[in-house]
Structures are given as C-alpha cells and as structure tokens.
Amino acid sequence: MRVSLKGKFVPENVRLALCAILLALAFVIFAMDNSEAQQNNLAALNQRVIRAYQAGQKAEAIALAEQTVTLSRAQFGDNHKNTGLLLSQLGNLYRDSARFADAEKTLKSAVAILERGSGPNFELAQALNNLGGVYMNQELYPEAEKLFQRSLALYEKLPPGKQRNVFRGNGINNLAVLYGNEANARAESGEVAEANAAYDRMIAMINEVIPLWSKEFGPTHQNISVLYQNRGEAYSKRGEPGNAEPDLREALKLRLKFLAPKNPVIATTRNSLANVLIAQRKYPEAEDLLIGALQIRTEVLGPDHPSTARNLNALATLNAATGNVANAVNYSRKATLAVINHAATETLGVRQQQGAGGLVEQRAPYFVQHVANLYLLNAASPAPDLGGEAFTAAQWAMQSATAGAVQQLGIRLASSGDAAAALVRENQDLATTWRERDKSLVAAMSQPEAQQNKAAITALRQEVGRLEERQRTLQARLQKDFPDYAALSNPRPLDIEQAQRLIGDGEAMLVFLPGEKESYVFAVTHTDFDWRVIPLGRNDLAKKVKEFRRGLDVVELNESIAAGKPVLFNLDGAFELYSTLLAPVETLIKDKPNLAVVPAGPLTALPFHLLVTERPAVPASDVRNLGPYRDAAWLLRRHAVTVLPSVGSLKALRTVAMRSDPGKPFVGFGDPLFQSSPAPSGNQRTASGKPSTRGYADYWNARGSVDRGKLAEALPRLEDTAVEIKSIATTLGASPSDIFLGQAASEAQVKRAALSNYRVVYFATHGLIAGEVRGVGEPSLALSIPANPTAEDDGLLTASEVAQLKLNADWVVLSACNTMAGEVPGADALSGLARAFFYAGSRALLVSHWAVDSAAATKLTTTTFDILAKDATVGRAEALRRAMLAYMDDRTEERASYPAYWGPFSVVGEGVTK
C-alpha cells in the first residue's frame, strides 16, 4: 500500500528557488556599469534589497526594489538596460510573493526593454525565465514552457564556463519542474499515460543537469540534493519505487551533511523516502522515517502546521496498512484536528495557490482516511461514538465541493460596503500575510545552520504567532456578529444529535462519502443512526453513474432510435446500484416518505429518485414497448427525494427566521440571446440543436476570461422556454411585466430587479457547471450576452454574483439543460451554486439533470406548482413527486413512462417544510 503525498514539485525546490533569486539579485549589481557615482548609489540600494530578502522581509525587499526601478528610470530612462534589469528583479520578487498580476506586467516590461540587446543576451534570458515562472505558478504550462525554452536557447549561447553551466542547468531544471507539475495535474485528472510521459521528460531534464552542477558546485552540494530529491519524486509518482529509493537515499545523505538534523528540508526528504519504502512494503524503516520527520515538523513548525498534518496522515495510512488500527485512528485524529485548527489561516476569498482552494479542500483525503480508519476500528471493536466521529469527519471531507464558488464569493463580498466587509478584508489580508510569513520562516529555517539568521527567524516566529491570534479573534467576531456569513465561509459540521433534532418523524437523511477504494453511507433519522461501507471507490462509482445515465438524455435517445440502435435506460443496473448504495441502510429509511440525500463526488450526478428498489420482472429492451418502465419499482414511488448540498445546509434552511410574504408570485427569465444573429427558432432542447457543451472549462481562455465567441457558438437559443415561463406565470397568476425574455433576460436585468418581492424566481436557460477551471471557473447561468460586455454584465451570472442578490423566495427554479451535474459525472459545482442561492435568500432550487424535453418540462413544472397552489403543506419534494407520477402514469402517451421524460428534475434544499 502506498501513502500518497500529493503536492507540486515547486515546494521541494525551496532552497534552489532561494538560491536562484539571490543569484539573480546579485547579478543585477554585477551587470550594471559602475562608471558613475549614480550607479554606485543604485548598487548600494540593491544590496539592501538582497539583505531584506535574505532576512525574510519580503515586503521591505519589494518596496526597496520598487525604489531602485524609480531611481533607474530617473537616472537612465525608461528603456535603459539597467531599468530592464531592475524590473526583472522586481517582477521576480512579486512572483515570489504570489503577486502574479504585478509580476506578469512588470516582467513583460522588462522583456520589452531587454529584447533591444544583441549578442549573448543573458539579461533577457533571466527576464524570460522569471516570466515563465509566473506562468508556471499559475499552471499556464504551455505559456511557461515556451518562455523557458526561449530562455534556455539564450543560455546556450553564453561563452563556455561556470556561468553558462550554472544558468543553463537552472534553465533545464525549470523545465524539469514544469514537466513535473504538469505531470501531477494530468495524474490527478486520470490522464495516466500523459502524466508518465511528462515525468519521463522531467527525469531526462534532471539527468542532464546533475553532471553540469556536479562539476560546478561539487557532487555533494545542496543544489545536487534537490535534483536527487526531485528525480526520486518523479520516479515515485511514476510508480517506480525501486528507482526512486536510491535517489531519495542520496538526497537524504547529502542534506544531512550540510543541514541541521531538525531542518524542515530533512523532514521533507524523510517523508519522500518513507513513501517509496511503503510502496515496497518496507514498513518498519518507513515508520521510523515518518516519526523522525514528524518530530522535526512538530518542534520546528508546530503541531497544527499543514506539513505536520501531512506527516500525521502518512503515519495514519501506514498503520492502517500494517493492521495497527488503533494507532491509525489516533494519528488520523491528530491530522484532521491539525487541519481544522489551522483552517482559519485559509480565509474565504484568499487563494493559497492557483486552483488549490482552501486548506480543508486540499486535505480532504485526510478526512476520508480518518473515516476509513474509524470503520476498521469499529469492525474490530464496535462503539457508538465511532460512528458519530466518522459522521463529522465525512462532512469536513465534503467541503471541497464548494470551495471554488465560496472563494470567489469572498472576494466579491470583501469589496462591498456592508458592515461585514471591513472584517472580511482584514481577515483576508491577515491570511495572505500569514502565508507569506510562514513561507519566509520555512525558507529561513531551511538554510544550513551556519547561514541561518537567528534574529530574523525569531522575529518571524513572533509575527506568525501574532497573526494567528488576531485571526482567531476576527473569526470569533464574525461568528458572533455575522453568523450567516460565517456559516457560508467557514461551515461547521453537525453532530448526529444536532442533525436528528432537525429531522422530522417522517424523514431520513443519507450522506455519501466516496473514497479511493471504498465509500461510505450514513443514514440518520429522528431516532436512529447507522453507517456502512460501500465496496466501490470513487472511480468505480463514476463508471457506474455514467452507465446509469445512459439513455436519459432525450437528444441522445432520439438520435440512437433514429440510427436504429436505441440506447435505453437499464432497469437492472438501476436496481444493482440501489442494492449497492441504499440497501445496506434500507431498514432505517424504507418507511420514511421523505428522503434527503447529501451526495458527493460522482454521486452528485446521480438522480437518486430513478433508482429501482426491486429487480425488474421484465427487462426493458424494446423501444416499442416501454411498459416495463411504468411498472418498475422506482424509488420515487416510495420516497419524495430532496438533495442537500451539505448536512449543515439543513440547519441553515430550517432555523432561518420566517420572513414576510414577498407579495408577488413569480418572476421569470428565459429565452436569452447568445448571438447577435440568433439561430432559427425550434425546440432546441430536444432536436438537433442540442447544446454543444464541452465542459465549462472550454468557455474560458488561458487568461481566465470568458471566451464569448465559443460561448455563443456552443449555446443555441432556447425559444421554447418562453412558452414554459408564460405557462408557469399564468398558473401562478403573475403579471406579464414580471416576465423577461430574449434580450431582456440579461444579467443586468437580474441584478436590477427587486427579486425580494417574488416567491418564485424562475430561470429557463443553460446552466454551466460542468467541470472546473483551476482557480477561475464558477458555476453560472447563461443569460443574454450583451454587445458590449462589462464586468457587471458579461452574460454569465456566477455563483458569487448570485450570492449578492437579495431574494425572499420559497424557491428558485433552474429549468436549464444540465444544471444538476456536468457531462462528466462528479461535477460538484452545484453545491456551490446552491449555497449561493441559499445565502441570497432562497430556501430551495428545482434543477434538471440532463437536457430536457420542453413539453415534458413545461408539464412537470406547471403540475408541480398547481399541486402547491392547492396545498402548500405537501412540500416541494412531494409536489414534484406527484407531478412525476402523474406524468409517468399517463397512458395516453407511451413515451410518458420513460424516465428521460418524467424524471429530469430534482429539488435541492428545503423540500419538506413550507
């Protein structure tokens, strides 16, 4: 069993990055002409930049570097080589402080100046190298690779000698690190072959650098240890522990020669070596290495530091693999507690790194491992408290689903003028400063003992402590004064007793947690609790859900029938999936008419009401005879199903104070225009005009902006939604002035409308929540794309914009194609969109799982509202259930029995109470 210690290669290069930056700083002084006294003053100021950086005072180093640029421009002009050199240095310092926008702008200016040089242009090579690093930090790998290659070509032209070897080696190593990070990203996306090819490129690069640097620095130099460390990591991630082991042993041996035994870098290498030993089942030595690394990190970094938590989780996994379950649980408890205690430094709206999300999101596997270890312990020695502990840990693990949308929401809310904004901004600033100081502290302590600045380390430790104390104070104030915001930004799990108090006698709640090799289901009623293992891991569940959804998309169904090869929904598969997911806890839930489901991972794409509770008597295999579908034992016949984005959302929805009646029944937005010359009208949701959605990522360009051309091409007009909205409006007695169609269905109109005056807010358009864009993409609703887009109206109503709306709605209807989940099962983004609507003031959403048939959608929604209009006490989920059953049991139309027509919608949020 292998302990997976995920991470980028960049953190393993802390020392090399520091050396490269200092070398570049020193070169700025070396490269400038010293023929004038003015330049001597500039060089002296630059020496102060170096000293400040070495002392970990990055803000001061940047301020001084900004002064050097100003001074150079005044003395030599905007386009002088010295100005270009100093801009390159400043950009690199911005990059090291994660100020990537500033870094990119500054380095582009440096490149433009230095490109005027001729001959072996070392200065330009450095600027290109620095700009490539900015793109690499933002995971824009193709852009970074081009710049690194161009920089390396310039290094190749330097005269033979040490300078050429050192910087050429640095250029090659940058490519190696780039390929390693790209490989990690591909591996996490399941692109195994592509990831291994990138690891191979990384290894080849390092093989070229080792002899170069061994010659110039010596074979035992600290930079050589970094190369062995990175090559060993690459072999390890490529699944070759036998090749990784000698490299990591050599890295550890070298580092012990020039670093103190308690240096954090030593802990990193001990961890890496332990990882490959575990893969080879060399458990005793691996455990010794991990315990030694844990001692270092606990003493040097503290018991709650993220690196300490990583060590604890590795020990938890190791002990589980060797059968020491009690020890495994103990280490898991410490690991997850460390993450929770430290999570305050990962405040809402602040990115730790591009696409990384918050600390809890990054450490979600720790919580899953915690649940797995608790289950093993409970199997060996059952105890009621273990289930409750697992229930709480599972909720922490599931928070990652909403991290992206909540993060963007925090950025928006911090810029608003309400009473909480000042606290939010201060909290974000503290989080950013903490990460910078922590990074500086680790870098300072990673120096060889003789080179460490003890006074700077002491000062940094004290500052980190002060920042953490201030953060705790702010978090407590946010919890007290702004509980709604705190619940959104830093949700706390409910324990079993709290959940049971919120659940009625006729209700049951199911919570699913997918794991790597197996998954877990928790069942909670007003009086009982149970939890069971599901013998399918995340990837297997994704395959099952993808297979389950075959035959449900109406467009694909019609196309398969027209081709003479009908692809029908598999009733047997629906029964098998029920047997796997729900049957283990059937005793608790079968008599509860209302079922709330909290899915995660691949299960967010599963329409649970389409599960089948009994094996079908007759398989449905003939499109001419759809009778078996009408007679199937659908879960829908037994339960009204509601989806919850989290366990905690139940508390938020059921404890909110009752509001006054909004007064108006309905406001609707539909049939938006995506192109200046719209396509001909037609039933675009069921005919050949199926949206050519390729995943949300495809609508963004490399710089993180909406590509409106692609968006307009991919989204056909939905003219038939106008009929749907008008029908619902008539049913609810709405005024024609509350219907916004065509160009009027715009983002600007939504933001302008007094939405708090309406009980039902209705969007009939495309939902874009499939997939994600690292650090950028948000779940969104597509509205009319304006001729002159602005930041306030670009045609996409994102989750963070939704949260700033003012609603007072019983529910929001998203009668859109594919709003429930993406084309790839497991798109968790809906939970972010749902939380945003709940925060804005809605109690429930009605959403669709697949591209729906317009006639069916209109009938289902109007029937649902008819039922509620006659008796609101039945609840939204029950009203939808009755509407579906009525449609399914209508024998005047044979296709009505087929689930693609009657089953596309789900209620998300409060489905039971009025």
Side-chain angles (χ1 to χ4, degrees):
M1 185 174 182
R2 181 179 171 209
V3 179
S4 177
L5 304 178
K6 292 184 178 179
K8 296 185 180 298
F9 284 93
V10 174
E12 303 297 337
N13 285 276
V14 170
R15 163 152 306 284
L16 184 59
L18 182 64
C19 291
I21 289 174
L22 292 176
L23 196 58
L25 294 174
F27 179 78
V28 171
I29 299 172
F30 170 79
M32 289 191 293
D33 296 330
N34 289 311
S35 56
E36 300 181 20
Q38 292 174 327
Q39 292 164 332
N40 290 333
N41 293 336
L42 198 55
L45 183 58
N46 211 60
Q47 286 283 7
R48 292 175 61 193
V49 175
I50 296 176
R51 288 195 293 271
Y53 185 86
Q54 287 177 315
Q57 299 165 343
K58 291 184 181 179
E60 182 178 347
I62 288 174
L64 291 169
E66 290 170 338
Q67 291 179 35
T68 67
V69 172
T70 301
L71 185 58
S72 180
R73 282 174 168 158
Q75 293 178 355
F76 306 112
D78 290 340
N79 297 318
H80 193 275
K81 184 179 84 169
N82 285 355
T83 302
L85 286 168
L86 291 165
L87 282 168
S88 180
Q89 166 186 282
L90 176 59
N92 212 23
L93 290 171
Y94 282 145
R95 171 202 169 193
D96 193 53
S97 295
R99 292 172 58 177
F100 298 129
D102 291 334
E104 181 179 358
K105 179 180 178 181
T106 304
L107 287 166
K108 282 183 174 178
S109 298
V111 167
I113 295 170
L114 297 172
E115 280 180 324
R116 297 184 175 92
S118 59
N121 198 335
F122 174 79
E123 299 90 345
L124 176 59
Q126 286 292 88
L128 291 168
N129 193 65
N130 294 342
L131 183 56
V134 172
Y135 289 141
M136 181 171 68
N137 289 145
Q138 297 177 88
E139 300 183 11
L140 299 171
Y141 298 130
E143 292 90 336
E145 183 176 14
K146 291 175 185 176
L147 290 166
F148 285 153
Q149 293 282 14
R150 189 179 168 196
S151 174
L152 181 57
L154 291 170
Y155 289 140
E156 300 278 6
K157 295 178 181 179
L158 292 174
K162 181 169 184 175
Q163 187 187 74
R164 179 179 186 273
N165 289 341
V166 169
F167 283 98
R168 178 172 172 269
N170 189 52
I172 297 171
N173 190 60
N174 281 336
L175 280 168
V177 172
L178 169 71
Y179 294 140
N181 288 341
E182 182 183 12
N184 288 346
R186 288 186 177 277
E188 290 174 5
S189 300
E191 302 172 68
V192 178
E194 294 84 352
N196 286 341
Y199 287 133
D200 287 343
R201 289 195 294 274
M202 178 185 187
I203 291 167
M205 297 285 102
I206 295 175
N207 289 344
E208 192 172 350
V209 178
I210 287 177
L212 277 176
W213 278 359
S214 294
K215 177 182 177 182
E216 301 302 341
F217 295 125
T220 62
H221 193 272
Q222 51 192 326
N223 283 355
I224 308 301
S225 74
V226 174
L227 298 176
Y228 281 120
Q229 172 80 27
N230 283 352
R231 190 171 69 180
E233 287 280 3
Y235 278 129
S236 176
K237 291 173 183 290
R238 207 192 179 302
E240 300 176 18
N243 288 330
E245 182 180 344
D247 273 354
L248 294 171
R249 287 193 185 279
E250 184 66 16
L252 183 59
K253 183 178 75 173
L254 292 178
R255 287 178 164 179
L256 286 170
K257 285 185 177 181
F258 58 80
L259 296 176
K262 293 185 178 180
N263 193 293
V265 173
I266 299 294
T268 294
T269 309
R270 292 178 71 98
N271 238 340
S272 299
L273 179 55
N275 194 27
V276 300
L277 293 179
I278 291 170
Q280 300 174 84
R281 299 180 181 272
K282 300 177 181 179
Y283 296 130
E285 184 182 0
E287 186 167 21
D288 288 343
L289 287 164
L290 289 174
I291 290 173
L294 178 62
Q295 291 171 344
I296 295 170
R297 285 173 165 157
T298 302
E299 182 174 338
V300 175
L301 302 176
D304 296 334
H305 194 275
S307 295
T308 306
R310 182 185 302 118
N311 246 124
L312 289 163
N313 185 66
L315 280 162
T317 310
L318 170 62
N319 277 272
T322 57
N324 296 322
V325 181
N327 282 346
V329 168
N330 184 46
Y331 280 123
S332 275
R333 285 169 174 161
K334 292 179 179 178
T336 57
L337 182 61
V339 173
I340 294 167
N341 287 343
H342 199 75
T345 63
E346 303 301 324
T347 305
L348 175 66
V350 182
R351 289 200 295 270
Q352 181 174 7
Q353 58 191 28
Q354 187 74 2
L359 186 67
V360 171
E361 177 191 16
Q362 295 176 62
R363 303 298 186 258
Y366 298 7
F367 295 99
V368 177
Q369 183 66 51
H370 189 169
V371 173
N373 291 341
L374 287 168
Y375 196 86
L376 290 173
L377 184 60
N378 190 64
S381 180
D385 290 346
L386 297 178
E389 185 179 343
F391 184 67
T392 300
Q395 292 173 68
W396 283 113
M398 295 166 69
Q399 276 198 31
S400 62
T402 60
V406 172
Q407 180 186 92
Q408 294 294 329
L409 169 60
I411 294 171
R412 287 185 182 275
L413 293 183
S415 64
S416 66
D418 61 21
L423 286 178
V424 174
R425 285 194 295 272
E426 183 181 358
N427 217 359
Q428 292 173 349
D429 290 342
L430 285 170
T432 300
T433 304
W434 181 91
R435 278 192 299 277
E436 182 182 316
R437 297 297 185 269
D438 179 69
K439 183 179 176 182
S440 297
L441 178 60
V442 173
M445 292 188 298
S446 297
Q447 295 274 0
E449 191 77 16
Q451 299 176 27
Q452 287 186 2
N453 186 329
K454 301 296 185 183
I457 289 174
T458 299
L460 283 168
R461 283 186 183 279
Q462 292 172 346
E463 187 174 6
V464 166
R466 286 194 297 270
L467 289 168
E468 290 174 346
E469 182 58 34
R470 178 58 181 162
Q471 283 175 312
R472 283 190 286 270
T473 300
L474 280 180
Q475 289 286 346
R477 187 173 170 189
L478 280 168
Q479 290 279 355
K480 179 176 180 292
D481 296 343
F482 305 99
D484 289 345
Y485 177 85
L488 177 73
S489 63
N490 188 24
R492 312 296 293 186
L494 300 182
D495 61 34
I496 292 173
E497 290 75 17
Q498 289 172 318
Q500 287 179 323
R501 285 195 292 270
L502 294 166
I503 296 173
D505 289 336
E507 295 178 88
M509 180 168 63
L510 294 177
V511 181
F512 292 92
L513 177 66
E516 184 177 354
K517 294 183 178 180
E518 58 188 21
S519 302
Y520 306 89
V521 55
F522 301 85
V524 188
T525 69
H526 184 65
T527 56
D528 295 303
F529 169 81
D530 194 10
W531 62 307
R532 298 296 176 94
V533 69
I534 296 171
L536 294 175
R538 185 179 297 105
N539 292 338
D540 288 333
L541 282 174
K543 293 176 184 176
K544 293 283 188 183
V545 172
K546 184 176 182 180
E547 180 63 28
F548 180 94
R549 290 171 62 98
R550 291 188 67 201
L552 289 177
D553 186 286
V554 175
V555 176
E556 293 176 357
L557 172 67
N558 290 336
E559 289 174 351
S560 72
I561 292 173
K565 298 179 180 179
V567 177
L568 298 179
F569 182 80
N570 187 337
L571 288 172
D572 287 316
F575 170 69
E576 290 171 5
L577 200 51
Y578 170 83
S579 300
T580 301
L581 298 177
L582 272 66
V585 292
E586 186 179 60
T587 302
L588 262 69
I589 69 172
K590 65 179 180 181
D591 295 327
K592 305 297 182 183
N594 293 292
L595 185 63
V597 179
V598 185
L603 296 180
T604 60
L606 178 66
F608 279 84
H609 58 285
L610 264 60
L611 292 173
V612 175
T613 62
E614 299 173 11
R615 185 172 296 281
V618 180
S621 58
D622 187 348
V623 72
R624 294 167 299 181
N625 178 19
L626 298 177
Y629 289 107
R630 182 178 290 110
D631 300 331
W634 301 106
L635 186 71
L636 177 76
R637 293 198 179 277
R638 203 169 71 183
H639 302 283
V641 181
T642 304
V643 176
L644 292 172
S646 66
V647 176
S649 64
L650 187 65
K651 178 181 179 181
L653 292 166
R654 293 198 170 175
T655 59
V656 66
M658 294 300 293
R659 296 156 295 183
S660 60
D661 191 313
K664 295 185 177 183
F666 173 92
V667 61
F669 304 87
D671 184 23
L673 301 182
F674 307 118
Q675 303 180 45
S676 56
S677 299
S681 63
N683 190 338
Q684 299 289 358
R685 288 194 279 185
T686 57
S688 58
K690 178 189 176 184
S692 56
T693 48
R694 294 149 292 182
Y696 190 33
D698 289 342
Y699 303 129
W700 297 79
N701 59 33
R703 306 303 306 133
S705 301
V706 178
D707 189 324
R708 296 174 188 85
K710 283 186 179 179
L711 194 63
E713 292 173 5
L715 300 179
R717 185 174 175 182
L718 303 174
E719 256 183 302
D720 53 303
T721 62
V723 176
E724 178 182 337
I725 283 185
K726 290 176 182 177
S727 298
I728 301 295
T730 300
T731 298
L732 296 181
S735 167
S737 63
D738 292 330
I739 299 174
F740 300 93
L741 305 174
Q743 198 62 52
S746 67
E747 185 180 359
Q749 181 60 53
V750 171
K751 292 177 178 178
R752 252 194 326 264
L755 298 180
S756 61
N757 293 335
Y758 300 94
R759 287 192 293 274
V760 176
V761 180
Y762 205 104
F763 294 94
T765 181
H766 296 290
L768 304 177
I769 66 171
E772 64 177 5
V773 180
R774 295 179 191 277
V776 178
E778 289 188 75
S780 308
L781 298 177
L783 296 167
S784 292
I785 300 179
N788 299 301
T790 65
E792 285 302 303
D793 184 6
D794 61 4
L796 290 182
L797 184 66
T798 66
S800 57
E801 291 173 317
V802 165
Q804 291 186 293
L805 300 176
K806 302 300 182 184
L807 304 177
N808 187 14
D810 285 336
W811 63 359
V812 171
V813 180
L814 305 182
S815 179
C817 296
N818 218 26
T819 51
M820 185 65 184
E823 290 184 351
V824 178
D828 288 320
L830 177 73
S831 53
L833 192 62
R835 280 175 67 179
F837 271 112
F838 297 158
Y839 183 75
S842 174
R843 302 194 69 197
L845 306 180
L846 181 66
V847 298
S848 56
H849 279 271
W850 53 80
V852 300
D853 175 80
S854 281
T858 301
K859 188 169 184 179
L860 286 166
T861 50
T862 53
T863 303
T864 300
F865 283 112
D866 277 337
I867 293 170
L868 285 172
K870 294 174 182 175
D871 183 4
T873 63
V874 302
R876 301 170 190 84
E878 175 62 20
L880 177 62
R881 187 182 85 93
R882 293 181 187 182
M884 288 181 174
L885 289 174
Y887 190 101
M888 182 198 317
D889 292 335
D890 181 0
R891 296 179 180 271
T892 62
E893 186 176 359
E894 183 62 26
R895 73 169 191 169
S897 65
Y898 191 73
Y901 292 95
W902 60 259
F905 291 109
S906 285
V907 174
V908 178
E910 178 53 84
V912 178
T913 64
K914 180 179 177 182

